[in-house]
Amino acid sequence: MTVHNYHIPVMLGPCIEGLAIDPKGVYVDLTFGGGGHSKEILKKLNEGHLYGFDQDVDAEANVPDDPRFTFVQANFRDFKKYLRLYGVAQVDGILADLGISSHQIDEPQRGFSTRFEGELDMRMSQSGGLSAKDVLNTYEESRLHKIFGIYGEIKNAKTLAQAVVAERALQPFTTTESFKRLLQKFAPRGKEFKYFAQVFQALRIEVNDELGALEEMLLQAVEVLKPGGRLVIMSYHSLEDRLVKNFINKGKFQGEVEKDFYGNLIRPLEPVTRKAVTAEADEIKENIRARSAKLRIAKKL
């Protein structure tokens, strides 16, 4: 059974165009979610095949009944290993939409949203592992300070970390509302919602090791792509986009690009678009989550 309105795919047209699909090719959608991007890819395939990955068990409800499609319930940081299990060594294109799905946000019990009362969970995969309440109730103050400051990019990260440690000594955090009551005391007046969102983002990134998973996925993508194959990545905050941009432009996540003896850039990928592609005004009007999306497209050299 399909879950309706699971997620509205962002920049659907530019994503599909960026893949430059060969009807006989093999493609990977690393963030299957509601299946919006995958269904468009399948429309352009004849003899080709598409592999869809998602670590969220809920996504399986959206899998199309199509022999050209294979669903893999796994974190995309392991996609190379799973493709090999299916006998796939190289592919023609890889797509990843790094945004959290509308379905995950709108499910109160998942704890992703600042709008609903729910358990402080925030796990993309529901099969176990660290939760947001584990982070808030067990991490040392210095580690919380780092998470809020780097992943959330909030200015009073140290003060907030101190307050979390003091508050949890009296009463452990269990729900989104119990945590928001504390955040309310430190949020800039008139910018409460943005502040809440930044802190929740920081927790989500830590719980799911999103940046670590992204780095592992990008390194594997270079190995798995055929020469001339396309990498299409859509990110929604500066930390993700910076990693993607650096890796495409420099072949690494930090530092300057290296050059050979003749001054040629040493990198496995070449950007197809000079700058990140952003959503048109009409799309943003229809889907506000497209506002912060940045799409980067690269070709394997």
Side-chain angles (χ1 to χ4, degrees):
M1 182 180 71
T2 300
V3 180
H4 297 287
N5 299 321
Y6 188 103
H7 184 68
I8 302 172
V10 173
M11 283 194 276
L12 183 58
C15 284
I16 304 304
E17 183 180 333
L19 285 171
I21 294 172
D22 175 357
K24 297 181 180 180
V26 178
Y27 292 87
V28 183
D29 181 350
L30 290 174
T31 48
F32 175 72
H37 289 104
S38 281
K39 288 165 189 171
E40 286 299 312
I41 294 171
L42 286 170
K43 289 178 183 179
K44 296 186 176 296
L45 293 181
N46 293 330
E47 301 168 30
H49 200 87
L50 173 63
Y51 293 86
F53 284 75
D54 206 300
Q55 61 183 322
D56 190 343
V57 67
D58 289 353
E60 194 165 4
N62 303 306
V63 171
D65 183 13
D66 192 317
R68 300 168 302 162
F69 182 82
T70 300
F71 179 73
V72 183
Q73 191 196 327
N75 190 312
F76 63 37
R77 73 192 315 159
D78 299 315
F79 86 97
K80 177 184 172 184
K81 174 180 69 178
Y82 281 97
L83 286 179
R84 283 186 170 177
L85 290 175
Y86 287 97
V88 178
Q90 288 195 306
V91 302
D92 296 276
I94 297 171
L95 168 70
D97 177 348
L98 303 178
I100 183 171
S101 76
S102 304
H103 169 74
Q104 290 168 326
I105 292 174
D106 293 337
E107 288 289 314
Q109 68 270 23
R110 302 295 295 274
F112 286 111
S113 177
T114 63
R115 294 183 287 123
F116 306 115
E117 167 74 13
E119 187 176 347
L120 277 165
D121 191 329
M122 300 193 191
R123 293 172 300 165
M124 296 286 193
S125 171
Q126 297 168 280
S127 61
L130 193 74
S131 70
K133 64 181 178 183
D134 293 330
V135 172
L136 289 173
N137 292 320
T138 66
Y139 274 27
E140 294 180 356
E141 180 186 311
S142 60
R143 197 169 177 188
L144 289 170
H145 175 197
K146 179 181 177 182
I147 291 167
F148 296 147
I150 296 176
Y151 296 165
E153 300 179 296
I154 62 170
K155 295 179 180 178
N156 59 354
K158 184 176 179 63
T159 304
L160 178 59
Q162 291 171 340
V164 167
V165 172
E167 184 75 14
R168 76 189 187 194
L170 303 174
Q171 180 76 38
F173 295 99
T174 57
T175 67
T176 54
E177 286 302 314
S178 67
F179 185 46
K180 280 172 60 181
R181 283 195 291 272
L182 177 68
L183 294 182
Q184 190 74 48
K185 302 174 184 177
F186 300 95
R189 191 176 300 277
K191 297 182 179 180
E192 290 86 354
F193 181 77
K194 181 180 179 181
Y195 186 82
F196 294 165
Q198 287 175 290
V199 176
F200 271 54
Q201 171 185 289
L203 285 172
R204 195 196 75 225
I205 290 173
E206 175 65 18
V207 165
N208 298 287
D209 188 23
E210 292 180 22
L211 300 182
L214 175 58
E215 289 186 3
E216 290 182 30
M217 178 269 279
L218 289 170
L219 290 169
Q220 291 175 48
V222 167
E223 298 179 42
V224 173
L225 278 173
K226 294 178 181 177
R230 294 292 186 96
L231 178 66
V232 178
I233 307 285
M234 189 153 50
S235 58
Y236 294 80
H237 58 77
S238 60
L239 297 174
E240 289 175 336
D241 183 57
R242 194 177 302 128
L243 284 178
V244 176
K245 178 182 177 181
N246 285 343
F247 190 70
I248 289 175
N249 291 337
K250 303 176 183 180
K252 53 186 180 180
F253 302 112
Q254 294 179 332
E256 294 303 313
V257 65
E258 297 179 22
K259 297 182 180 180
D260 64 17
F261 181 77
Y262 300 100
N264 300 310
L265 300 180
I266 302 174
R267 60 185 184 184
L269 299 170
E270 179 180 59
V272 172
T273 53
R274 190 174 65 85
K275 296 173 64 177
V277 179
T278 56
E280 298 286 345
D282 288 347
E283 179 175 2
I284 295 172
K285 186 177 179 181
E286 292 293 323
N287 182 9
I288 193 64
R289 288 170 183 153
R291 181 176 55 188
S292 57
K294 288 188 175 182
L295 177 66
R296 295 191 184 273
I297 304 166
K299 178 173 65 175
K300 184 173 177 180
L301 295 171

